[in-house]
Amino acid sequence: MSYDENQHSPRPRRTRGTLTVVIAALVPSALAGWLVWLAMSGPDDSEPQKVLPLPSGQTTAGKPGPDASDTPSPTPPTTSAPAPTPSAPPKGGAAGPLAGKVVVVDPGHNPGNFKHTSEINKLVDIGTNRKECDTTGTSTNDGYTEAAFTRDVSQRLRTLLEKQGATVEFTHDNDRAFGPCVDERARIGNKAKADAVVSVHADGSAAGNRGFHVILPALVSAGGADTTAIVGPSRDLGERIAGKFVRATGSAPSNYVGDGTALDVRKDLGGLNLSTVPKVFIECGNMRDAQDAALLTSSGWRQKAAQGIADGIGSYLTR
């Protein structure tokens, strides 16, 4: 997504020259990236996973009652007792560590945006200024679109979170011709009173720029935007997702954004500026780099990406 709001123009980004010797030594491999995040994400990332699903079919065994031969048959009542009212199922439809939590997943872009350029070019207020409603997103050199990627990963993510008992809402799910606009995406999370919102993306930078990064909201108070209450929680959410993403995928932090930390703070994204609940974006890799593209187009890797994001969300919500 290295674009203004959601559109990454395939422009190269410079690798900042302020990388420390320690980071430069740690990031050359996926294992090194894991060590970076193990150190930076705190004790939580070295603890056992907290979001594993309950074993299928697990029940609580009841104590056996007295033998029927030792107990006289009771006299049938003259009227039938009312049937007990069943307990309401937990949110998400399953018991688990995330039961009762609401997560909003925001698949970046929409496959239909290509056919609705006039609509998505409409300007909307993002607090700090006015930006395009939405953009088409980027694609690999072979034509695999960012919109297709984000939908696939988001659907996998929903399945993983619902297995943990979470209630998962999408900003869109093949139910709209285009969009929604970035301001509406923010409102959907706000209206849901989400415990966490994650916007899924892939970048469109220059070849040779590799790795993932998580975008955090900057401190913004302008117009209808006020991120004061969510900057801290969003950073916590983003750090945990980054740490778990390294572990699940083996990918290293971006070598062109974030100085090796995999974290990037921005104030030009309406989806973050207008959010009143903890929210981050994740750029899972660079679609314009052949090596990253090979990962992004792999079904097996996309499942790992979804797992890493789910683990990070679970770590944040069960902290």
Side-chain angles (χ1 to χ4, degrees):
M1 163 191 110
S2 66
Y3 41 85
D4 274 333
E5 175 61 45
N6 288 326
Q7 173 64 49
H8 285 224
S9 56
R11 65 180 184 274
R13 291 182 175 176
R14 293 184 302 162
T15 303
R16 299 183 185 179
T18 57
L19 292 178
T20 64
V21 173
V22 174
I23 294 298
L26 288 173
V27 176
S29 67
L31 177 58
W34 179 87
L35 292 173
V36 170
W37 276 103
L38 186 64
M40 119 178 241
S41 296
D44 175 77
D45 284 332
S46 64
E47 295 173 357
Q49 298 289 340
K50 297 180 181 179
V51 294
L52 295 176
L54 290 176
S56 177
Q58 178 174 318
T59 60
T60 302
K63 294 182 179 180
D67 187 84
S69 61
D70 297 330
T71 305
S73 298
T75 303
T78 56
T79 59
S80 300
T85 303
S87 300
K91 290 183 178 181
L98 303 186
K101 301 295 185 180
V102 177
V103 179
V104 171
V105 176
D106 178 28
H109 314 288
N110 184 320
N113 283 357
F114 290 96
K115 299 178 180 179
H116 295 273
T117 54
S118 62
E119 290 91 341
I120 67 172
N121 284 332
K122 173 185 174 183
L123 298 181
V124 297
D125 188 353
I126 67 166
T128 53
N129 61 308
R130 294 176 66 81
K131 297 287 290 292
E132 293 84 357
C133 156
D134 200 9
T135 55
T136 59
T138 188
S139 67
T140 66
N141 293 331
D142 292 334
Y144 180 58
T145 66
E146 182 183 359
F149 170 82
T150 64
R151 177 173 293 175
D152 181 89
V153 172
S154 295
Q155 289 173 340
R156 296 171 188 268
L157 175 59
R158 173 172 56 194
T159 298
L160 293 168
L161 291 172
E162 287 182 341
K163 286 181 179 178
Q164 310 307 315
T167 295
V168 181
E169 298 184 19
F170 272 31
T171 56
H172 67 104
D173 189 18
N174 201 29
D175 56 351
R176 305 180 64 128
F178 64 92
C181 295
V182 294
D183 56 340
E184 184 181 354
R185 291 174 189 258
R187 288 195 297 270
I188 291 170
N190 298 344
K191 182 178 179 181
K193 295 182 174 13
D195 296 288
V197 183
V198 176
S199 189
V200 180
H201 288 269
D203 210 349
S205 187
N209 290 343
R210 297 199 60 197
F212 77 96
H213 64 278
V214 178
I215 303 175
L216 312 176
L219 182 59
V220 171
S221 181
D226 186 357
T227 62
T228 305
I230 69 164
V231 166
S234 296
R235 173 170 283 273
D236 187 13
L237 172 63
E239 288 178 349
R240 290 171 186 269
I241 289 176
K244 301 297 186 181
F245 197 85
V246 168
R247 182 173 294 178
T249 65
S251 292
S254 169
N255 65 5
Y256 63 101
V257 174
D259 290 341
T261 67
L263 300 177
D264 186 29
V265 178
R266 291 175 63 172
K267 62 180 180 180
D268 62 326
L269 301 178
L272 295 180
N273 287 1
L274 301 175
S275 182
T276 59
V277 293
K279 182 174 182 178
V280 300
F281 284 40
I282 181 167
E283 300 283 357
C284 297
N286 177 19
M287 301 196 97
R288 293 294 184 173
D289 177 81
Q291 290 179 288
D292 269 12
L295 300 176
L296 298 168
T297 54
S298 163
S299 175
W301 189 89
R302 291 195 299 270
Q303 183 64 32
K304 294 178 182 179
Q307 186 68 62
I309 299 170
D311 289 348
I313 294 171
S315 173
Y316 171 76
L317 294 179
T318 57
R319 68 197 188 284

